[in-house]
Amino acid sequence: MEQEHAVKAHACHRFEPVHSRRAMLRTSACGLGMLALADLLAGDSRCQSAEAQAASNPLAPRPSHFAARAQNVIFLFMHGGPSQVDTFDYKPLLERDHGKPLPFSKPRVFSSATGNLLKSPWAFRQYGQSGAWVSDLFPHLARHVDDLCIINSMWGSNSRHGGALLELHTGSDTFVRPSIGSWITYGLGTENANLPGFITICPTLTHGGVNAYSSAFLPAVYHGTPLGNASIPSDQAKIPFIDNADKLPLDLQSLELQLIQQWNAEHQQTRGPDPALEGRINSFELAFRMQTTAPELQEIHDETADTQRAYGLDNPATRNFGRQCLMARRFVERGVRFVQCSHSYKWDQHGGLKADHGRNAVEVDQPIAALLADLKQRGLLEKTLVLWGGEFGRTPVAQGDDGRDHNPQGYTMWLAGGGVKAGIRHGSTDDYGYYSVQDKVHLHDLHATILHLLGLDHKRLTYKYAGRDFRLTDVHGEVVHEILAAS
Amino acid sequence: MQIPTSSPRLIRWLLYGCAVALCDCTAALVLPAALSSQGLHAQESANATQIDAEQRQNFEKKVRPLLAEHCWSCHGQENAESELRLDSLEGLLDGGTRGPAILPGQPEKSLMITAVNHADRLQMPPKQKLPPAEIAVLANWVRDGAYWPDARPAERSERVREAAPEMLRDEDRQFWAFQPVNRPPLPEISDRGWAFGPSDTFIRSRLDQEHLRPVAAADPATMLRRATFDLLGLPPAADDREDFWSDPQLDRFDRLLDRLLASPRYGERWGRHWLDVARYGDSNGLDENLAFANAFRYRDYVVRSLNRDKPYDQFVLEQIAGDLILDPAAPSSDPLDPLIATGFLALGAKMLAEDDPLKMQMDIVDEQLDTLGKAFMGLTLGCARCHDHKYDPLSMSDYYALAGIFKSTKTMENFSVVAKWQERPLGTPDQIAQRSQIQATIDAQQKQVNQQIAALNQELLAHVRARSREYLLAAAAQIWQERTQRSIGTALGIAAATGQVAPVTDPEAGSVPSPQVLEAENYQRGNALKHFNGYGEGIGVILSNGNGGWHAEYDLSVTDAGWYQLEVRYAAAASRPTELSINGKLVRSDALREVTGSWYPDTQKWHVERVVELKSGVNVIRLSRFEPLPHIDKILVARVDPALDVAALFAAENPTDSSPVRADSYELKAPFVDQWRQRLERAEAEADGPLKEWRAWMVASKGPEFRPSLASAQALAALATQTGQRLAAAEQQWQQLLKTRASAQAEPPNELPDADAESFRKLLYESMPGAPLAIPSNVEEHYAPSTKDALRRNRDELQQLRQSLPILPETMAVGEGTLEDLPIHLRGNHTSLGKERVPRRFPRILDTEPPAPLTASQSGRLDLARWLTRGDHPLTSRVIVNRIWIGHFGDGLVRSADNFGRLGDRPSHPELLDWLARRLLDRGWSLKSLHRELMQTATYQLSAENHDAAQLADPDNRLQWRHPRRRLEAEAIRDSILAVADGLDLRMEGSLLPIANRAYVTSTANVNPQIYDSPRRTIYLPVVRSALYEVLQAFDFAEPSVLNGKRDATTVAPQALFMLNSTLVAQQARAIATQLMRQPMQEEGARIEWLYQKVLGRPPREGERAAGTQFLQTYASHLERSEPNLSSDDRWLRVWQAVCRSLIASNEFVYVD
């Protein structure tokens, strides 16, 4: 089954001579782009059955392996590594033993020397029915704890940003591998032919850069489409080349498109049927539709003032990430499969923990709370899996007197919506929040679980490359059944 | 070895196949018990002795249940993951793939105990750490000898430890790719007149077998375009077209090939193909994206080599071992090219911030090996790193035999975080010798300076250690001051801030005189800047600008000598600790360190800085800082209640010294006082350890009810004295121990035997940040002035030497390292090594029997390179022939260009592949001859037309019944756009990367798009890994971190967006339109014709001309409506620009038939 799946999905862009209507469509990454073309080419090019389209279009929605709980994913990536013991992992003993040495050994491999235990500068309180502990860093988000599934027992294998960031996004901390968004789009396709299936808003350019959203050896259609990058405010983040360099109005561009397609049709008549040529004709149609859909990609002017305010767009501190969150909601609403928002490389507090974690939290707290509320109110949360976290956590021991070092040994991520149990905490770290000790969840397990929620078996979602069947979880990963909601 | 069966199949399964079963690393193999091996250590173990009843009970009640519950499901009878069983003592002692699980008596050295502690990468049980009490049970049990009731020494048995010895099956040996390259006879074909040359017969013969006929030959215009794009990556220029068409001879195609192959553009085109294989990049990518600013030399070397038709065997040899055949005196125009060539091995993407240096090194070796295997042999060697190759006869021994060669090769300068790759100078031997001589002097000098500093630091630390008690008293004085200030000072500060200066009354004393307030800007001496606007709006502040050593001095007269509190009012958005001195003595190094929130007056606050002793008459207060000052408004000085005689307090408790000890009374080094103070303050949270007595005082003095008193000062001074004495005692013991050991010529000690004394000694010897005697960052300021001068002189000399170093260009290159054979890394893990080292050699399947010995004095790289290029190597020639074939036919005779192994594809025409490989060897490995060979075939010159029957029979065109239509690659598209607009800059070589070597190319949020604003050919644009130029990315540029012998050619919407919207296309279309407007002809049809010639190199057909003409009018009128103010000339320029863009965007422009 997975073999067949893999073949179908990637056969689509190879050169293949035409021997059937269906094959003709295969090389096209955009089998739906037949509308205007129909006027230009002979009548037999008219639309095919939906089945034929699905088989031919690598981005067409595809059935999952089993019933899916979630349709879409929003990943809120906190680049740098937020501290678990200052956010969602309350450790009374850390507070009590502040200043004392850690009573057990530190990991063999670490980033830099650390000192004694450092209590959190923020108070923790319990919220909601679930009574989950949240620090004062996240007052807005704290009101949504009953929607969250907080995993306190995350762990990974790499203590450096570069390796850990790749591991989080691709499962490998050593090699260039397809990112999780690419795998998911490859597995499920996307539901809006006019938008990319995998969008990453303002991705970071460092610590692996593109590798965090690249399709690597998967076909290029599954590559994440970046909207801007971390150097660009989110209100200016755009798809590459979506805006015309000379700011041509659409009517003039549409005339150009007509001319191109007329010439292409002439060309094609002298060459005979060729799926590659036809695919390229289609791609221009899709590109033009994408361009006309561009406002959905870039603008939010049709959102109400209340909505914009809820996401914090009226406040300079929250405006940037708030807009990312709002765009993320708009995208999943329109069927984009995987959306990533990045709060880029801000959470790396080797020093200045108090000031900088404080500022970072302010920047994301209200927007994330608004996103959860908005998704819920629109009935989208049920089918949208929201994931929050960084590439690792931080040490409960101090670096200097106001900082914490990297810590992949035990940290917190949370999920919401999309078929996870709401209002629970899963797993735990030791008394001080250094190591994950109970119900440990490795990144591979998280990946397996995310795929599972999307109806994909991580062992069956494979792609053959360099003589081997590859999968997101390599040879690891176990679905964390304890956090799945009863269906 | 004893094998209990005679079935060869089972043996095979056990010896080779078993490792295959491990491939997915999920389940280890359980070997039949009879095969279970490994000499048993049980006889030697503690178990040989009797177990007492208590132990038996403890084992059965605690240990065994623990093992059963948590371990046996994976390491028991049913499963034995990692070949480890924990259900018997011999299982534990015998261990698994990582070695023995326990060492009886030594829990800290027992793998099982570190694993259950989750102290390292191996963490067991994997899901959930055991509770501490249970870990303790296991640790104690191991410590007490790992007693196991009724354990019997098991029978000696054999077990296969390292999977897969070198047993090769006939089936493996007979695999096509490992057969010698044949010289096949030419087959008979149906139509001998069709074939142009021998290779055509192989193609035609296969078509005959399938009863298929090739399509007709392509027309000359198609061939001109096809050949030019194939060899140059550019469309035929007008001159080339002219030359071609004006050549009336029948063999004009041959002459075209001569011209094309002689063009320097050829090396650029095919050099880029090779760069895909060499996974070329101008930056590291992966984690720390540093500039490979010298990588371009390798790129230029490749272009140069191909243009000169360097024999392929030499090309290979140089890239693997060029440094070892280097002859800088050789009469060649580029004698250093072989060294540059080894950039092939050096420029892979690396995890430069890998914490584990050995892992980093092995990952780099792996990357080199994997790239080399695929590039030259089409073998996926990397698969054998963790387990024997699942499909190809490559064992882990083969892998580590080769890995040894690269481990013995030097690629990196170091493996620290961030690691430094090696670069080697490019110069004549004399230049390099001279340079290394100076470098050696520099290194020696630097070493001397380092030693000097180390010695001075030791001296300084010895001084600080020797005076621990004084430092402690000084630190205690500071603490007392701070704590007392908190209670008396705040009141004063508040009073000052409100302008109501009220005397403070102590219950036991009378009133004190009013404080004096100094305006900061009224300093007597100094260089601080005075601001009365902005930062000092309306009030006047002092501040400073940049680094430079800023200070302000105030003369302050007081009537009464005595103790005064000093406060400062300032604003600071960031902490700027400032030095405070009174009468020339530093009293506080971190005064004014608070952050108020901004640099503006609105956040100014009073801060209590220090209680100081002033003399009667004029006192000098000095504030100074090297870096910018905080924004200072006022200074306040207020008399401390005389009843609270601070000096007396500290003089009170001082049994061994008659003079009072204060922080400012001795030449104590401020940073160490400060570090001691911080350390003592941390004791507030320490219920245990050497400073536990401090806790009570620290806690008590913290509360708001704390009042300064003689008693509190005495208590503190007593603590300081007591701790000081303990430190002195520990130091004395330590020195004594050192002496004793030295005289006995024994190993120097690690610690004092007495734990208590040791805890004090540690305080004096710990060096990590935060320790009291850590080396402060400004340590050199505390050296004696004469020493400082000597140091400065040495450094100046060093600087001069450095400047005299001749500047030689450098290149990323490898060299020979420390020679080393590697053991097998079990599961590819460098922390679990096999027992024996595998001698360096070539893979068995390709090697002679017995293995060819490598040159003992070298890494083996040169042997490897010679072996690969020996001519009879079955893979080297086949692989390169196939790569060249792909460049001309879009797909390979072997479609999996980089995998000739079992999982790769079989050749569609094995005889042809061999025939061509032979031909290559016969012609001295000349690649240009190979191009000619391929392009002069009838097969290459077929048209791209379709044929229904053939289509049905062979839809993939594996039999070459037609020529495939191909989309241009990213580089060819960009280069063509620039070329047709006459905008292509054909200069060769050199770097366009505007970033310093080893500097970060991309930071979190920055990549400079301007680096791509060059009209040079695309091969010269920087390849920034992890942040690829978006144009290249859109058109399937090969991922530059991994080798790629065949690119995809996808058709996705972003490519269309690039054509419709990008600046590049818009600009070049405009350039063409501008040229067009200058043409004499006015008639639209003629202009369209000119444009077609210019862009597509042919006249338009009627329908095309009509479509163009019709567009002109419609577009012009639309444009006139949307931009009515355009002049007619501008409007028509815009119209023609749109036509040009449409032509560039058209299918014909990007496809080659």
Side-chain angles (χ1 to χ4, degrees), chain A residues 13 15-19 27-30 79 98-100 105-111 113-116 155 157-160 162-163 166 173-176 203-211 214 219-221 223 229-231 239-246 248-249 251-253 255-257 259-260 262-264 266-267 270-271 273-274 276-277 279-281 283-284 286-288 290-291 344-345 409 435-440 445 464-468 475 478, chain B residues 23-26 118-121 123 126-129 286-288 351 353-356 359 363 366 374 380 385 391 417 682 685-687 768-769 831 899 903 946 951-952 954-957 961-962 965-967 1002-1007 1026-1028 1030-1031 1033-1034 1036 1039 1041-1043 1048-1054 1056-1063 1066 1092 1101 1103-1104 1107-1108 1110-1111 1114-1115 1118-1119 1122 1134 1137-1139 1141-1143 1145-1148 1150-1151 1153:
Chain A
H13 345 252
F15 286 94
E16 267 181 67
V18 184
H19 56 280
T27 49
S28 158
C30 37
H79 183 189
H98 173 74
K100 288 190 190 169
S105 59
K106 295 175 186 173
R108 184 176 65 90
V109 171
F110 55 89
S111 159
T114 47
N116 291 343
W155 69 292
S157 316
N158 199 299
S159 62
R160 291 282 173 180
L166 286 183
D173 62 347
T174 319
F175 305 106
V176 175
T204 179
L205 296 172
T206 188
H207 298 141
V210 174
N211 298 333
S214 95
V221 278
H223 196 86
N229 59 54
S231 71
I239 287 188
F241 310 121
I242 195 83
D243 287 343
N244 183 271
D246 294 336
L248 284 182
D251 64 324
L252 289 178
Q253 284 210 283
L255 287 175
E256 273 188 43
L257 184 68
L259 178 62
I260 294 167
Q262 271 177 302
W263 278 342
N264 281 345
E266 285 267 343
H267 176 253
T270 65
R271 301 302 198 271
D274 181 324
L277 297 179
R280 190 161 184 275
I281 290 171
S283 76
F284 272 78
L286 173 59
F288 194 67
M290 236 161 100
Q291 202 177 326
S344 274
Y345 200 31
Q409 308 288 339
Y435 295 89
S436 172
V437 292
Q438 192 191 338
D439 296 325
K440 299 171 67 168
D445 304 328
K464 182 161 267 176
Y465 164 73
R468 216 190 112 188
V475 297
E478 278 180 47
Chain B
C23 178
D24 274 355
C25 309
T26 39
H118 286 208
D120 210 328
R121 288 198 178 183
Q123 306 190 339
K127 283 279 146 194
Q128 192 148 353
K129 192 175 168 179
L286 278 188
D287 55 350
E288 310 293 314
M351 279 287 179
E354 167 59 52
D355 281 320
D356 187 332
K359 179 172 188 300
D363 284 348
D366 183 63
K374 287 179 185 158
T380 51
R385 183 182 186 182
Y391 302 97
V417 172
R682 286 208 298 278
E686 291 168 17
M768 63 186 202
T831 60
N899 189 352
L903 277 188
N946 247 315
Q951 178 88 58
L952 226 58
D954 178 25
D956 285 353
N957 191 29
W961 52 267
R962 69 162 184 161
R965 177 173 293 124
R966 283 169 295 154
R967 199 207 72 206
T1002 48
S1003 64
T1004 312
N1006 182 34
V1007 64
S1026 303
L1028 212 52
E1030 54 196 4
V1031 175
Q1033 188 141 322
D1036 305 298
E1039 160 59 49
S1041 297
V1042 290
L1043 169 147
D1048 287 335
T1050 63
T1051 304
V1052 293
L1057 288 173
F1058 166 77
M1059 291 292 179
L1060 294 171
N1061 293 332
S1062 74
T1063 308
Y1092 259 75
R1101 281 180 291 275
E1104 291 166 335
Q1110 190 199 347
F1111 171 82
T1114 324
Y1115 196 86
H1118 269 80
L1119 186 57
S1122 68
R1134 292 274 298 275
Q1137 183 192 10
V1139 181
R1141 176 166 36 224
S1142 302
L1143 210 48
S1146 72
N1147 277 355
E1148 185 166 338
V1150 297
Y1151 277 91
D1153 285 342

Side-chain angles (χ1 to χ4, degrees), chain B residues 464-668:
Chain B
V464 180
R465 267 182 217 118
R467 300 172 74 177
S468 293
R469 196 178 52 85
E470 293 164 49
Y471 275 94
L472 278 168
L473 279 167
Q478 283 212 356
I479 293 170
W480 191 85
Q481 291 242 353
E482 281 203 7
R483 302 276 160 119
T484 52
Q485 272 160 205
R486 232 177 268 152
S487 55
I488 48 173
T490 347
L492 277 174
I494 291 163
T498 54
Q500 302 166 342
V501 181
V504 172
T505 356
D506 188 271
E508 300 164 33
S511 61
V512 294
S514 299
Q516 300 187 49
V517 176
L518 309 170
E519 287 294 340
E521 62 275 20
N522 296 338
Y523 56 75
Q524 271 70 39
R525 290 164 300 283
N527 59 0
L529 311 173
K530 301 174 183 183
H531 268 224
F532 298 93
N533 296 312
Y535 294 130
E537 192 70 51
I539 50 173
V541 298
I542 58 167
L543 44 75
S544 53
N545 199 353
N547 295 345
W550 304 96
H551 70 278
E553 280 186 6
Y554 305 86
D555 294 336
L556 174 76
S557 287
V558 294
T559 329
D560 302 318
W563 291 87
Y564 287 79
Q565 172 151 305
L566 202 135
E567 298 178 32
V568 183
R569 182 179 164 89
Y570 60 93
S575 179
R576 290 182 174 177
T578 302
E579 291 179 8
L580 169 66
S581 310
I582 304 293
N583 298 329
K585 276 181 187 162
L586 179 75
V587 297
R588 199 172 156 187
S589 54
D590 64 344
L592 280 64
R593 68 178 172 188
E594 300 300 327
V595 175
T596 66
S598 84
W599 300 112
Y600 291 93
D602 60 332
T603 65
Q604 279 183 2
K605 282 186 190 68
W606 282 104
H607 297 272
V608 176
E609 300 299 342
R610 189 74 160 91
V611 172
V612 296
E613 189 176 20
L614 297 181
K615 59 189 188 213
S616 156
V618 178
N619 293 272
V620 179
I621 301 173
R622 178 186 167 99
L623 294 170
S624 62
R625 189 163 198 271
F626 181 74
E627 293 159 318
L629 293 164
H631 296 184
I632 308 164
D633 180 24
K634 290 178 170 56
I635 299 163
L636 174 147
V637 181
R639 181 86 198 265
V640 175
D641 189 337
L644 216 61
D645 187 338
V646 183
L649 293 179
F650 280 90
E653 181 66 23
N654 203 351
T656 58
D657 196 330
S658 56
S659 58
V661 176
R662 296 195 306 269
D664 51 351
S665 64
Y666 272 72
E667 280 304 310
L668 297 185

